[in-house]
């Protein structure tokens, strides 16, 4: 309203707003984090009746000695709250894929254990899941760009997990 | 078991499984797409009582002429199903942030319109939201790496949206 002077609201945050290039890249990242989990979930549900996080949970169990992990550690590693993980594991229990028991080493903790039916379901789901991950991401980027995307993801995760904020 | 011969299950998919480097990068991407929406949601809910997708919806409306968009287009642009978007817009309506009306040009369609209270809430939420996006992503990567991450996201989105699969 007064010549070249911008409104106070704009001035106050003049260095804050994203440039058009920054905004465009950020909105691509927003679409990726919205759509990629949806795409992976859709494929896994259709082919194996599993969500991405159910698959990740069972895959993690399958790779540990005794196919056993503490629920709290599993929650941390799958970036899930303990209460959401409990619901999820209850669903997997009802299908005999997983069972829970008190940690023999310390009864205050609960362990989740992958059962033979769960391992079988995981092995049956894996080929189509991995093929889809290759199609969408791994074979769609050069090895160098995939590596960078992983590194940049870790940089962002580092700030998310930092208690500084 | 039988010398160097691997199990049939392994042989069958020998070219399919991810290498350790590929798996490591992919799991970083999985953690990113799981944790980043959660982090942005947490900040927006705490500071403004909005989810990321509610913010995106209102931001998109704020940038269109008449601050109006067809619900179907809005669903497409926010990567949301129409039924999920309807729930979301209903919540925004109950706060007088948005209203819906039949499209005057074609009554089979419904438009969503940003209301003054919604614009005000968006403007109040924007500085802290943008600062957090800068902290986590935009100022955390070099301009070149941010640009590449956006490009790689678009490559992946291109395959997600391709009807070929």
């Amino acid at each position: 309203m007064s010549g070249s002077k911008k409104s106070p609201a704009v001035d106050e945050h003049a260095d804050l707003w994203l440039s058009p290039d920054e905004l465009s890249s950020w909105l691509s990242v927003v679409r990726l984090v919205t759509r990629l989990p949806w795409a992976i979930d859709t494929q896994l549900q259709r082919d194996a009746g599993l969500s991405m996080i159910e698959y990740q949970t069972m895959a993690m169990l399958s790779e540990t000695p005794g196919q056993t992990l503490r629920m709290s550690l599993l929650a941390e590693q799958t970036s899930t709250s303990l209460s959401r993980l409990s619901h999820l594991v209850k669903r997997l229990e009802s299908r005999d894929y997983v069972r829970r028991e008190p940690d023999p080493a310390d009864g205050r903790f609960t362990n989740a254990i992958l059962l033979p039916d769960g391992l079988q379901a995981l092995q049956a789901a894996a080929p189509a899941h991995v093929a889809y991950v290759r199609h969408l991401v791994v074979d769609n980027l050069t090895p160098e760009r995939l590596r960078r995307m992983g590194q940049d993801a870790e940089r962002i995760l580092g700030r998310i997990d930092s208690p500084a904020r």
Side-chain angles (χ1 to χ4, degrees), chain A:
Chain A
M1 303 284 111
S2 55
S4 67
K5 184 114 170 57
K6 290 176 185 163
S7 78
V10 171
D11 271 349
E12 193 183 336
H13 308 296
D15 298 337
L16 174 66
W17 302 126
L18 303 183
S19 72
D21 281 356
E22 289 169 341
L23 183 62
S24 163
S25 297
W26 165 243
L27 289 180
S28 294
V29 172
V30 168
R31 279 194 293 275
L32 180 72
V33 303
T34 307
R35 300 270 299 165
L36 184 58
W38 168 87
I40 300 284
D41 261 348
T42 302
Q43 178 271 318
L44 275 173
Q45 288 288 3
R46 185 189 57 213
D47 294 352
L50 292 169
S51 70
M52 180 168 82
I53 193 147
E54 287 170 342
Y55 182 95
Q56 294 295 337
T57 299
M58 297 208 297
M60 247 166 233
L61 289 174
S62 78
E63 283 154 18
T64 56
Q67 313 210 316
T68 299
L69 272 174
R70 273 190 186 167
M71 289 287 285
S72 51
L73 200 71
L74 207 46
E76 199 184 299
Q77 292 192 353
T78 54
S79 301
T80 316
S81 71
L82 199 52
S83 80
R84 194 179 160 208
L85 181 69
S86 294
H87 281 291
L88 181 155
V89 167
K90 218 171 275 180
R91 280 203 308 278
L92 294 176
E93 273 186 325
S94 74
R95 297 161 79 177
D96 286 327
Y97 286 177
V98 163
R99 70 182 172 84
R100 282 177 291 183
E101 67 174 21
D103 188 336
D106 184 340
R108 289 171 304 173
F109 294 98
T110 301
N111 288 337
I113 300 146
L114 187 64
L115 296 175
D117 281 5
L119 184 60
Q120 203 169 15
L122 185 68
Q123 286 171 336
H129 170 67
V130 176
Y132 193 43
V133 168
R134 281 204 168 281
H135 173 71
L136 291 185
V137 179
V138 174
D139 295 348
N140 191 17
L141 306 177
T142 65
E144 176 57 15
R145 291 187 84 131
L146 176 65
R147 201 176 58 79
R148 285 200 196 174
M149 185 175 252
Q151 287 173 345
D152 290 344
E154 289 300 326
R155 275 189 76 89
I156 295 167
L157 289 160
R159 291 219 172 161
I160 289 175
D161 294 330
S162 144
R165 201 188 159 88

